[in-house]
Amino acid sequence: MSLDANQAETELQVIKSERLLTYVFESQNLGKHSDFAFQSPSMFSRMRGYIQAALSNEPTRPPTAEESRQIAFANFAARVDVRRIGQSYVVDVSFTSSDRELAPRVANAIASAYLWQSLASKTDKARNGAEFVQGRLNALSAQVSAAAAAVAAGTLPTTAVPDADSRVIGAAVQPLGPSAPRRGLIIALGAIIGLTTGFIILIVSQVFDRRIRTREVLIHATGLPCLAIVPEVRRWKGVSRLSEKDMCSLVSLRPEGEFAAAIRDIRTSIMLARSSRQGHGNDVVALVSWTRDAGCTLICANLAHIVRESGAKVTIVDADIRQKGWSLADQSPQAAISAPLTLADALTSDTPVNESDLLEFEGIALLPGRSSSSRINQLAYLSTPKMAQIFDMARNRSEVLLDLPPLCVGADARAAAQYADVVVLVAAAGRTTRDELAAAVQTLKSAGANVIGAVLNRAGA
C-alpha cells in the first residue's frame, strides 16, 4: 500500500492511541500487575500530599478502584515507545518492564492489536458494503480471530494476515539483559557531576575562606611584617608522646629543627626592634593572640629558653589570670611544694613582689598568673598601677616576657599591653581569620601598644 509521510505519522499515533493501548491493557489483564498497580506513596510524597490537602482544605483519601485502574493504565502507557525508523514506513514498537517475559509479550500484543484494528475495520466495511462476499468475509473473520487471539496471548498471529495494511517484519523477543536503566551511563554522569560539584565547592570555599594560611595573607591582613613562620610540631617522638614540659623546652631538645630556627627568628626581630629604640635597659616583650588556641604560651616558653641560652636572665609574667587548667607554673617543682605568689595575688594586695617570690624552672623565673582563690582572680585587674611596679622589679633583674591572655575574652590583654615595650601578635595558621587579626591590630593600637610584627604559628597544620 502506498503511504505518504503524513499517513505514516498518522499510523504512529493510531498505534499509540488510548483506544488501542486500552485494548492491549485489558486483554493482557495488566491492571493487577505489580509494575503498573498503584503503589503506596513514599514518605516525601505523603508529606507533600498532606501539605497540599492542608492548603486546599480537602482531606486526603486513598484512590478509588477506578482511579487505581487509571493510574495503572497511565503507568502502562508511559512505558510504551512507538517510533518510525528513519524516513521509512517501518515502525519500531518497544515496551519497558522489569519482567523479562512481560516486555516482549506486551510489544507483540500491541503490534497484533494494530493488525486486529485494521482487519476489524475492513470487516465492518465488507459486511456493510453492497459487494459482500461470504468467502471474503470468512477470510477476514479468520484473520480477525487470529489477530485477536494473538493480542490475548501476547504473540504475533500464527496465521497469515495478508489483508492487514501493515506487516510485522520482526517479533519482539525476550532480551538478554536489561535495556534500562543504563547503569554505566548513570555512573559516568554521576562521576562527572560529582567531580564538577566538588571542584566548584573547592573553588568557592577557597574564595570565601578568610583563614590565615600564608605569610603574604598575614602581611596583607595586618599591615605588619611577618617575624617568623613557626612550623607545626609533631608531639610524637619515636614511640612516646612529648609532654607539656618537653614542648615548653623544644628548642633545647631539637636545637637544629625548624621550630627552633623560627623561635630564633622571633628573638632576632625583637632585638632589631630594640636597637631602633632609645635606651639600653631590659625590655618587656608581650606575646598576644586573638583566640586561646594560637600557641602564645608555647612560643613564650621556648623564646625564654633561647634568651637564657644566650646568657641573659629572663622572667616570664603570666598575665592570663582567668585561664583554668594547665599553665607554665606546673613546670616548676616549687609550685608543687607550696602555693606560690601569683600575679592575681600581687594585684589585690599591698605586698610588694620581690625576686624571691618568683618561681624557677630550668633557669627561667616565672610569676604565675592565676591564684588558687577564684575570688582573687575575679577581683584582680591588669590596669592597676601595681602592674607598673611589678614590671619595674622584673626589668631590674632580667628581660621580661609577658604572656598575655587572648584579646577576644576581654580587656585584660589590652590593659596589660600598654606596659610592654614591644608586642608580638601570634596567629594560628588555618584557624585565625583575617577579620580576627584586623580586630586584634586595631585593639592593640588603640591601647597605644607598640606592635612590631606578627608570627604565623602551626604553619602546615
Side-chain angles (χ1 to χ4, degrees):
M1 178 179 180
S2 177
L3 294 175
D4 57 23
N6 292 333
Q7 287 176 320
E9 291 299 327
T10 300
E11 295 304 318
L12 284 179
Q13 298 304 318
V14 169
I15 297 175
K16 293 188 292 186
S17 65
E18 183 177 354
R19 178 181 178 184
L20 189 146
L21 294 181
T22 301
Y23 178 54
V24 174
F25 183 77
E26 298 294 344
S27 299
Q28 291 292 319
N29 193 24
L30 300 178
K32 298 181 180 180
H33 197 279
S34 59
D35 277 8
F36 319 115
F38 172 77
Q39 302 289 336
S40 299
S42 62
M43 181 179 295
F44 177 78
S45 300
R46 287 199 299 271
M47 293 178 62
R48 184 175 61 183
Y50 293 149
I51 295 174
Q52 292 175 349
L55 295 177
S56 61
N57 294 324
E58 294 181 1
T60 58
R61 59 175 180 79
T64 62
E66 179 59 24
E67 289 173 343
S68 297
R69 193 201 71 81
Q70 293 176 358
I71 293 173
F73 177 74
N75 294 335
F76 162 76
R79 299 179 179 225
V80 177
D81 181 31
V82 181
R83 60 188 180 88
R84 182 182 177 189
I85 300 178
Q87 298 299 317
S88 67
Y89 297 145
V90 178
V91 176
D92 178 45
V93 179
S94 61
F95 183 77
T96 303
S97 174
S98 58
D99 189 341
R100 297 177 57 189
E101 297 180 354
L102 180 64
R105 182 156 55 93
V106 172
N108 289 331
I110 293 173
S112 297
Y114 176 70
L115 299 177
W116 170 85
Q117 184 172 274
S118 176
L119 293 171
S121 175
K122 287 193 174 184
T123 301
D124 291 340
K125 290 181 180 178
R127 191 177 278 123
N128 297 327
E131 301 178 357
F132 175 76
V133 177
Q134 186 64 39
R136 175 71 171 162
L137 178 60
N138 292 338
L140 291 175
S141 297
Q143 294 179 42
V144 168
S145 299
V151 172
T155 61
L156 296 181
T158 56
T159 60
V161 285
D163 291 302
D165 290 335
S166 303
R167 291 182 301 155
V168 179
I169 60 176
V173 296
Q174 183 172 303
L176 298 177
S179 59
R182 303 177 64 180
R183 297 180 180 177
L185 179 60
I186 292 174
I187 293 174
L189 289 176
I192 294 173
I193 293 173
L195 290 174
T196 304
T197 304
F199 280 121
I200 292 174
I201 293 175
L202 179 61
I203 293 173
V204 171
S205 64
Q206 290 296 325
V207 170
F208 291 97
D209 188 4
R210 304 283 296 173
R211 290 173 292 182
I212 304 295
R213 300 182 186 276
T214 62
R215 180 194 299 268
E216 292 73 17
V217 176
L218 176 67
I219 296 173
H220 183 268
T222 61
L224 300 171
C226 181
L227 305 182
I229 298 180
V230 182
E232 173 71 4
V233 177
R234 298 187 176 215
R235 300 202 62 171
W236 289 94
K237 181 182 180 182
V239 295
S240 61
R241 189 175 190 270
L242 293 177
S243 64
E244 298 293 348
K245 181 179 179 180
D246 293 335
M247 294 293 292
C248 290
S249 59
L250 194 60
V251 292
S252 299
L253 293 176
R254 302 176 183 175
E256 304 299 328
E258 295 181 357
F259 179 85
I263 300 299
R264 285 193 290 269
D265 288 342
I266 299 174
R267 171 63 172 165
T268 302
S269 299
I270 294 173
M271 293 179 66
L272 291 174
R274 178 184 178 183
S275 64
S276 64
R277 297 173 51 251
Q278 297 284 338
H280 301 284
N282 293 321
D283 287 335
V284 176
V285 179
L287 287 90
V288 66
S289 62
W290 181 260
T291 56
R292 193 175 294 280
D293 59 351
C296 268
T297 301
L298 176 65
I299 293 177
C300 184
N302 282 275
L303 185 59
H305 278 278
I306 291 289
V307 174
R308 179 185 60 79
E309 290 175 358
S310 68
K313 291 184 177 181
V314 60
T315 301
I316 297 178
V317 177
D318 182 6
D320 196 352
I321 58 178
R322 320 291 182 196
Q323 180 186 13
K324 296 181 180 180
W326 181 89
S327 68
L328 286 175
D330 298 331
Q331 306 305 315
S332 174
Q334 296 173 257
I337 299 174
S338 61
L341 177 69
T342 66
L343 179 62
D345 295 325
L347 293 176
T348 55
S349 67
D350 297 329
T351 305
V353 180
N354 300 314
E355 290 187 29
S356 58
D357 296 320
L358 301 178
L359 296 178
E360 291 284 341
F361 73 99
E362 299 182 1
I364 299 171
L366 170 67
L367 179 60
R370 183 177 174 81
S371 172
S372 57
S373 171
S374 59
R375 176 174 174 77
I376 292 178
N377 294 326
Q378 295 300 321
L379 294 176
Y381 292 97
L382 301 182
S383 59
T384 60
K386 189 67 175 291
M387 282 289 290
Q389 300 174 16
I390 294 173
F391 285 126
D392 289 340
M393 179 278 299
R395 274 195 183 98
N396 290 332
R397 72 172 302 275
S398 65
E399 294 190 35
V400 183
L401 295 179
L402 177 59
D403 186 11
L404 290 174
L407 288 165
C408 69
V409 299
D412 286 340
R414 182 174 59 182
Q418 60 184 331
Y419 297 105
D421 297 298
V422 295
V423 177
V424 176
L425 182 61
V426 180
R431 299 183 184 180
T432 307
T433 65
R434 303 182 191 184
D435 300 328
E436 291 173 346
L437 275 187
V441 173
Q442 183 179 2
T443 300
L444 292 171
K445 290 186 175 180
S446 66
N450 178 27
V451 186
I452 64 169
V455 173
L456 186 62
N457 191 24
R458 296 175 183 167

